[in-house]
Amino acid sequence: MGGTATALADRLADRAQRVLVGGVSRGFNNLPEFGPLYVESAEGAWLRDVDGTRYLDCVMGWGSLLLGHDPAVVRDALRAALDSGFLYQQETQAHVELAELVHRHVPCADRVRFTGSGLEATLFAIRLARAYTGRQKIIKCEGHFHGLHDSGVLSNGATPPGEPMPDGTVVPGVGSAGVLESDATLVVPFNDPDALEKAVRAHGDDVAAVILEPVALNMGCVFPTPGYLESVREITDRAGIVLIFDEVLTGFRVALGGAQERLGVVPDLACFSKAFGCGQPIAALAGRSEVMSLLGPPGVVPMSGTNSARVLSVVGTLAAMRTLAEPGFHPRLAALNDRMVAGFTEVLTDAGVPGHVVGCGGRISVFFGLAEPPRTFRELSRAWNRDYHVKVYRRLMSHERVYGFIPLGLAPDPINLSVAHGDREQEELLDRFASAVRAVPYRDS
Ligand SMILES: Cc1ncc(COP(=O)(O)O)c(C=O)c1O
């Protein structure tokens, strides 16, 4: 443990090392330089650790907690559900109402099925696309993340950019040991329709799906360039390839109907989690009836799990989704986002620190060292000043008690704000960020 360690946290860390691999129950909890935070309670935008230190939370459950910690609307729904038995693995009225809500608001969602995590949703989407097309390969974009399954983990932002190849693809970065060796996952640069066109020309008859994050929120925050998603839609349509939008991060955050609503391009399948649920362990796969009908039962691709769509998760998610669907919710979130993007930009300008700030739906990326927004993972990883980012992160954690700006891979992890980040939290965050940036002299790395 580093600068945040105190007595009880130290003792817990010692005990954890003896029973938990790497001292954590979940890999990403092992924060670079600081190890795990041992949290005692959380409320709104604040975390309190076991030694009484308060942190302004800008991770917010890795983007899940769009309503903040412990929102009353979700807590009350969960309490009520506890009184009627919370673990019968059956359908309820809440399941139907939640599916209706997704169907009503998400453009591609003719049909919906629930599962437990983003990883599962993208895994089933890919398998479903293979079953539907009778083809084996998939194409993903460099720097995009779809969960830690064999194809999701490749070139996910933790591996350096791959060398471009003549067929439009890049050499895949292997994001984990133990991944099945296979050429079934092809990787192309994001925002490069020509590369995709080439790859489809070379491999199209074997390609079941193109999967991408419609706004790339795992490599900072990178918007699709004008016309890019339209080209992807046109190329996949022409080649009979299933287009999957991984909306695990964009879903219900950038708009109620996800990036597909906001950007006006409708995929065949889409995956949701994180803000869908606002903290519940739930995900959804949604899409066109013709494709979705292959899910079993009645179709040939079984999709179920002991803990899928637990009633408690569904009831909590329904309460959260009804709040997100209230008129004015997303405009309010967009205003918060824009205010904070402008605020961070001003801090950088005042401090004379080169950088670019981009955000959507409160997921905001500060790209130190970049003069303009990046379009591809290669562009970003060339220009991003990771050393400076790490120093600011260290200062924010240890001196300013801001939990966020975590340097996870080879792209900056954006912060996640929520509607619980009110005026006071927004001001505090900008003040604390400004102090950290002022305290760390900028150097080109
Ligand atoms: C875009 C995207 N897809 C899928 C996943 C995997 O979701 P989970 O962590 O629920 O397995 C993530 C997780 O961060 C993600 O950001």
Side-chain angles (χ1 to χ4, degrees):
M1 294 279 290
T4 60
T6 49
L8 182 49
D10 275 346
R11 272 180 279 138
L12 288 173
D14 280 350
R15 286 167 58 189
Q17 282 295 347
R18 273 176 249 136
V19 284
L20 289 162
V21 182
V24 284
S25 57
R26 217 174 48 155
F28 288 157
N29 282 352
N30 206 342
L31 301 176
E33 309 207 8
F34 292 94
L37 274 183
Y38 290 95
V39 175
E40 186 181 80
S41 62
E43 196 189 344
W46 297 90
L47 287 176
R48 187 185 171 85
D49 76 9
V50 288
D51 296 299
T53 303
R54 287 179 87 225
Y55 289 84
L56 183 50
D57 189 356
C58 295
V59 175
M60 300 305 288
W62 302 102
S64 295
L65 303 170
L66 193 51
L67 293 174
H69 289 283
D70 200 25
V73 66
V74 176
R75 189 183 344 119
D76 292 349
L78 294 176
R79 281 210 176 116
L82 286 175
D83 288 339
S84 42
F86 59 89
L87 254 188
Y88 37 93
Q89 306 285 29
Q90 275 302 339
E91 304 293 311
T92 66
Q93 185 170 332
H95 287 73
V96 179
E97 288 178 0
L98 184 57
E100 284 171 347
L101 197 143
V102 176
H103 170 74
R104 189 158 57 247
H105 295 295
V106 174
C108 79
D110 293 343
R111 293 286 183 277
V112 183
R113 190 166 280 181
F114 300 124
T115 183
S117 67
L119 178 158
E120 290 167 273
T122 60
L123 183 149
F124 282 114
I126 290 168
R127 186 176 292 163
L128 183 56
R130 289 197 173 113
Y132 178 73
T133 56
R135 303 170 182 175
Q136 288 291 302
K137 292 187 196 291
I138 66 156
I139 297 178
K140 79 173 289 281
C141 286
E142 189 164 47
H144 294 209
F145 180 55
H146 305 299
L148 289 173
H149 56 73
D150 277 9
S151 38
V153 75
L154 295 183
S155 298
N156 69 17
T159 56
E163 282 309 306
M165 297 198 285
D167 64 355
T169 69
V170 299
V171 177
V174 183
S176 166
V179 169
L180 195 64
E181 273 181 40
S182 141
D183 61 355
T185 304
L186 306 168
V187 180
V188 295
F190 186 50
N191 275 332
D192 186 343
D194 295 341
L196 180 66
E197 180 84 61
K198 253 193 200 167
V200 166
R201 221 178 295 128
H203 305 276
D205 290 349
D206 295 329
V207 176
V210 169
I211 182 168
L212 53 77
E213 295 180 63
V215 182
L217 292 182
N218 275 293
M219 45 185 232
C221 172
V222 180
F223 278 96
T225 47
Y228 173 68
L229 290 180
E230 288 79 356
S231 297
V232 175
R233 180 68 280 184
E234 197 266 316
I235 293 167
T236 49
D237 270 342
R238 204 178 342 117
I241 294 170
V242 174
L243 177 58
I244 305 169
F245 278 3
D246 180 347
E247 297 234 33
V248 164
L249 272 165
T250 50
F252 302 96
R253 177 183 279 278
V254 305
L256 190 58
Q260 56 191 279
E261 180 201 328
R262 177 159 162 181
L263 302 173
V265 176
V266 180
D268 301 301
L269 298 175
C271 305
F272 299 91
S273 190
K274 305 238 188 203
F276 176 64
C278 290
Q280 316 311 307
I282 193 166
L285 171 58
R288 276 205 295 128
S289 306
E290 198 189 336
V291 187
M292 290 291 284
S293 63
L294 286 188
L295 285 179
V300 289
V301 181
M303 182 174 173
S304 194
T306 307
N307 285 311
S308 300
R310 300 160 82 245
V311 67
L312 205 56
S313 311
V314 169
V315 166
T317 302
L318 185 57
M321 287 303 101
R322 284 183 174 147
T323 307
L324 267 52
E326 281 169 7
F329 181 90
H330 285 89
R332 193 152 56 95
L333 185 63
L336 180 159
N337 179 85
D338 295 351
R339 209 163 37 242
M340 293 305 286
V341 168
F344 285 121
T345 305
E346 198 179 315
V347 170
L348 295 189
T349 309
D350 289 351
V353 169
H356 205 88
V357 186
V358 190
C360 63
R363 188 158 164 104
I364 298 172
S365 190
V366 176
F367 293 107
F368 293 115
L370 268 74
E372 48 189 50
R375 287 166 304 174
T376 64
F377 183 60
R378 175 171 289 274
E379 242 176 57
L380 149 62
S381 50
R382 262 202 209 124
W384 179 43
N385 189 334
R386 189 173 195 280
D387 283 354
Y388 188 72
H389 186 109
V390 171
K391 287 180 192 153
V392 171
Y393 155 75
R394 193 184 296 144
R395 180 86 193 178
L396 282 168
M397 282 287 285
S398 59
H399 285 70
E400 304 296 336
R401 303 304 189 192
V402 171
Y403 170 47
F405 296 91
I406 299 170
L408 279 183
L410 300 176
D413 202 48
I415 57 167
N416 300 287
L417 302 182
S418 71
V419 292
H421 289 80
D423 292 344
R424 182 167 73 89
E425 285 79 10
Q426 293 170 38
E427 269 172 41
E428 289 235 8
L429 177 54
L430 291 176
D431 286 349
R432 293 178 191 206
F433 180 74
S435 303
V437 164
R438 278 198 302 266
V440 182
Y442 188 81
R443 303 217 192 305
D444 292 323
S445 57

